[in-house]
Amino acid sequence: MPNSSSISEFLLLPLADTRQLQLLHFWLLLGIYLAALLGNGLISTAVACDRRLHTPMYFFLLNLALLDLGFISTTLPKAMANALWDTRAISYAGCAAQLCFFVFFFSAELSLLTIMSYDRYVAICKPLHYGTLMDSRVCATMAAAAWGAGVPNSLLHTACTFSLPLCQGNAVNQFFCEIPQILKLSCSGSYLRELVVIILSVSLGFGCFVFIVVSYVQIFKTVLRMPSEQGRHKAFSTCFPHLAVVSLFVSTGIFAYLKPPSLSSPSMDLMVALLYSVVPPAVNPLIYSMRSQEVKDAVRKMITKYVSQILNCPSFRTHAVS
């Protein structure tokens, strides 16, 4: 049996058995990836450039867009490259780096989503104190804390996972280096320490989810007391999609790490991994930002300005005339 010292690379799960399906999956993943890059890139640029969006809510949306860019870029490029070049290999160091960045972005995003729910709670339930409770210094500190929360968590998981002796080969039953799949390669009984760390992390994640749900329950109670039907509709149409995406993100992530072995199968594991690692970064721009008229106006203004600059460029006009 191979051990961890003799393993120089891992073999990731192929997305399809035939070459035609591999190429189909490549183009599908490429479309999802480009859509996520475009959506999150437009939002981050619009929020950064438009002074009207320099508010706490959009400041946190900017951070969410940046985290989503990193989150989806940790897994999809390697999966697309493997599908395109018909290979499964990822180096030992590459696998460790991928796992480290994945846990970092996952932890930071969950922390930021928790902060965003608190921001909405203060804005709707305590509007008179919003300027005091969510001033620029507080927002910057909260955002830094969200990013910082991912560092110790990612380092701890990476160190614990890759210090395990591996006795079950090097075939990872997932399209990226996921902790539960690597633990399956470890020697029997050697992964207790990492299992304790996973349970602790999942408990903290579940605590964040409870905080988010409680915040939105308080928001819904306040919204129901609003005299304006239009105001209630706007608040509900904003909050329900937020809660749905957070629920999908957290529930599938917890299920991936704590599901019983009897429920584990390659197709089930792949579907769950896609739901918590690919879907949220791709749909967050639509759910959190593109439903906002202010963001739509800022993006439209930015694109119009960019196109007009291209059309008024002397070199472009020279080529157009010729």
Side-chain angles (χ1 to χ4, degrees):
M1 290 289 182
N3 54 48
S4 54
S5 62
S6 65
I7 293 178
S8 61
E9 65 178 18
F10 291 95
L11 300 179
L12 299 177
L13 178 72
L15 295 175
D17 297 327
T18 65
R19 186 63 184 145
Q20 291 77 12
L21 285 178
Q22 282 183 337
L23 293 175
L24 178 62
H25 282 99
F26 166 77
W27 289 110
L28 178 62
L29 292 179
L30 179 62
I32 295 173
Y33 185 58
L34 291 178
L37 291 183
L38 178 63
N40 289 294
L42 284 175
I43 289 167
S44 57
T45 305
V47 173
C49 296
D50 196 320
R51 290 184 174 273
R52 294 174 301 173
L53 300 182
H54 291 179
T55 63
M57 181 179 73
Y58 292 116
F59 171 72
F60 292 132
L61 285 176
L62 167 63
N63 282 270
L64 180 65
L66 295 176
L67 284 172
D68 280 336
L69 286 173
F71 193 28
I72 200 167
S73 296
T74 302
T75 56
L76 280 197
K78 181 58 179 175
M80 290 188 296
N82 284 358
L84 180 62
W85 302 113
D86 192 20
T87 182
R88 299 173 56 190
I90 183 172
S91 68
Y92 188 92
C95 186
Q98 188 182 61
L99 186 147
C100 183
F101 280 111
F102 183 84
V103 175
F104 167 76
F105 285 115
F106 185 93
S107 304
E109 181 151 336
L110 181 57
S111 301
L112 186 65
L113 290 172
T114 306
I115 292 171
M116 290 172 67
S117 69
Y118 174 74
D119 171 69
R120 291 298 83 206
Y121 164 75
V122 175
I124 295 177
C125 300
K126 299 180 181 296
L128 298 180
H129 304 286
Y130 186 72
T132 304
L133 295 175
M134 301 299 293
D135 62 21
S136 58
R137 178 176 296 182
V138 171
C139 292
T141 303
M142 286 182 168
W147 285 84
V151 175
N153 199 31
S154 61
L155 294 177
L156 182 61
H157 278 289
T158 304
C160 289
T161 301
F162 285 91
S163 65
L164 297 173
L166 305 180
C167 306
Q168 308 297 326
N170 66 337
V172 179
N173 198 25
Q174 190 56 271
F175 72 96
F176 64 96
C177 290
E178 188 184 43
I179 292 176
Q181 303 301 329
I182 296 178
L183 292 183
K184 292 180 180 180
L185 305 179
S186 64
C187 302
S188 177
S190 64
Y191 55 84
L192 181 60
R193 180 176 54 185
E194 171 60 12
L195 190 60
V196 172
V197 175
I198 287 177
I199 293 175
L200 178 61
S201 297
V202 169
S203 300
L204 292 174
F206 184 73
C208 291
F209 179 64
V210 170
F211 182 90
I212 292 170
V213 171
V214 171
S215 298
Y216 277 110
V217 168
Q218 296 301 317
I219 290 172
F220 292 149
K221 288 182 178 179
T222 303
V223 169
L224 288 174
R225 293 196 293 266
M226 287 182 176
S228 169
E229 183 177 350
Q230 184 178 3
R232 290 197 301 270
H233 175 74
K234 181 178 180 181
F236 279 126
S237 65
T238 301
C239 293
F240 272 122
H242 293 188
L243 191 57
V245 172
V246 172
S247 300
L248 176 68
F249 181 63
V250 176
S251 61
T252 51
I254 291 176
F255 181 77
Y257 282 77
L258 293 184
K259 65 180 179 297
S262 59
L263 294 179
S264 182
S265 67
S267 57
M268 171 70 76
D269 295 344
L270 178 61
M271 181 181 68
V272 171
L274 288 171
L275 286 176
Y276 82 89
S277 66
V278 175
V279 173
V283 302
N284 276 345
L286 297 176
I287 297 298
Y288 282 96
S289 301
M290 287 307 179
R291 296 172 62 89
S292 167
Q293 189 60 45
E294 291 88 352
V295 175
K296 290 180 182 178
D297 292 339
V299 170
R300 190 180 299 112
K301 179 181 177 181
M302 181 180 64
I303 293 176
T304 302
K305 182 179 179 180
Y306 179 72
V307 171
S308 64
Q309 287 177 345
I310 293 178
L311 295 178
N312 292 327
C313 179
S315 59
F316 177 83
R317 285 185 293 181
T318 302
H319 286 296
V321 171
S322 58

